[in-house]
Amino acid sequence: MDRLKELIGKTLTKVENNDNYEIVFTCEDGKQYKMYHEQDCCEDVQVEDICGDLDDLIGSPILKAEESTSENENPEGVEVKEYQESFTWTFYKLATIKGYVDIRWYGESNGYYSESVDIILLGVD
């Protein structure tokens, strides 16, 4: 199930960025969605950058919730790290009438581990 698309039409009451390793979205209906990566030994996946203000997502219905990825190719303007073996950029574009927020996740590993971001419904998955 595409948990990201479930956010469309929902109104958020709270958005928490927990040390760039997870973001929790709390909805008016009481549901909570967590964006994160289950870390393993030879990988690191975390929020690299947030463009926009997470507070713009609170109090108005989510109008847009999109994901895109780029594997082993850095976005324009991003400096190549010295020891990049395998890496994935995951971009989340969320919008309300108040504004857009782009959340950029960066995952790197030795190539044998996942670098993807998961979105789960807390209390269900």
Side-chain angles (χ1 to χ4, degrees), residues 7-14 26-31 57-62 96:
L7 290 174
I8 296 174
K10 292 192 178 287
T11 299
L12 302 179
T13 58
K14 188 176 185 183
T26 302
C27 303
E28 262 183 355
D29 62 9
K31 291 183 178 178
L57 302 177
I58 296 172
S60 294
I62 299 292
T96 68

Side-chain angles (χ1 to χ4, degrees), residues 26-60:
T26 302
C27 303
E28 262 183 355
D29 62 9
K31 291 183 178 178
Q32 288 187 307
Y33 294 83
K34 180 168 78 167
M35 183 182 286
Y36 77 110
H37 174 83
E38 188 72 41
Q39 303 290 341
D40 213 334
C41 72
C42 300
E43 64 185 20
D44 185 41
V45 181
Q46 62 181 312
V47 175
E48 181 78 13
D49 185 46
I50 297 175
C51 183
D53 187 347
L54 290 174
D55 287 340
D56 284 347
L57 302 177
I58 296 172
S60 294

Side-chain angles (χ1 to χ4, degrees), residues 1 3 6 15 23 28 65 93 97 106 108 111 118 121:
M1 180 173 284
R3 296 287 186 203
E6 287 181 25
V15 180
I23 297 179
E28 262 183 355
K93 181 174 282 258
I97 198 164
Y106 176 75
E108 62 183 331
D118 296 310
L121 179 59

Side-chain angles (χ1 to χ4, degrees), residues 67-106:
E67 174 191 83
S68 63
T69 60
S70 175
E71 293 182 13
N72 297 320
E73 186 176 322
N74 285 310
E76 188 175 314
V78 173
E79 190 174 310
V80 176
K81 296 186 179 192
E82 187 175 350
Y83 298 106
Q84 279 187 320
E85 288 185 62
S86 174
F87 59 95
T88 302
W89 290 95
T90 308
F91 305 91
Y92 292 95
K93 181 174 282 258
L94 302 166
T96 68
I97 198 164
K98 297 193 298 187
Y100 282 89
V101 175
D102 292 320
I103 303 170
R104 183 173 71 182
W105 288 76
Y106 176 75

